[in-house]
Amino acid sequence: LNDNQSQYILTLSGTLRSPKIDFHPPFLMLMPVPLDVQTEAVITIIPRNFIRQSQIRIKLPELELADGTKTCPFSAEFPEGQNIVLSSDGTINELTCCISFRSSKPMSFLGEMLFIDQEDNRLLEQQTIVFSHYTHTWQCTALIKKL
């Protein structure tokens, strides 16, 4: 080798796979309800490309009302836990998340709910909240987008 001046070309290739999360259903509709009545919906969080265990947390929006007070009309619960667990065969568990909304005051809102894993990978759920003065009910529509 010392006397051989031949050059060797070594080609490396790989695929970068970032962890991501899919949601089912991709759209979330909460039923219209009167003031101070809770409405809720269940979504399934489907982790993809995770190579180690992680945990999901949610950053819920805080809203400022017309009188200046701040409120968070949303709540989120993970009835079976928030941990992303990899099994020995390489499959990843799905998570269930129950999202609730309740407000005693009329409001309109367009904002974000962030689903964040342990590595700070973020996914955005954009919420549109509208209060109908005619029917005194809430209509909530969410569109989930990947960041």
Side-chain angles (χ1 to χ4, degrees), residues 42-45 77-82 93-98:
V42 175
I43 61 171
T44 301
I45 300 170
E77 242 183 66
F78 291 89
E80 296 146 15
Q82 296 171 248
N93 67 311
E94 295 181 351
L95 303 174
T96 302
C97 182
C98 182

Side-chain angles (χ1 to χ4, degrees), residues 1 4 14 19 33 40 43 58 60 89 121 123 141 144:
L1 283 177
N4 187 350
V33 292
E40 65 183 26
I43 61 171
I58 301 177
L60 299 171
D89 66 357
N121 294 306
L123 287 109
T141 307
I144 302 169

Side-chain angles (χ1 to χ4, degrees), residues 80-129:
E80 296 146 15
Q82 296 171 248
N83 294 326
I84 295 173
V85 179
L86 287 89
S87 67
S88 58
D89 66 357
T91 58
I92 303 173
N93 67 311
E94 295 181 351
L95 303 174
T96 302
C97 182
C98 182
I99 298 174
S100 304
F101 174 85
R102 175 193 300 244
S103 179
S104 59
K105 297 183 180 182
M107 72 174 72
S108 292
F109 165 70
L110 173 63
E112 303 171 352
M113 234 183 239
L114 286 173
F115 289 77
I116 307 166
D117 73 8
Q118 226 167 280
E119 306 289 324
D120 283 334
N121 294 306
R122 296 167 176 244
L123 287 109
L124 171 70
E125 181 174 281
Q126 184 173 331
Q127 300 285 335
T128 304
I129 305 295

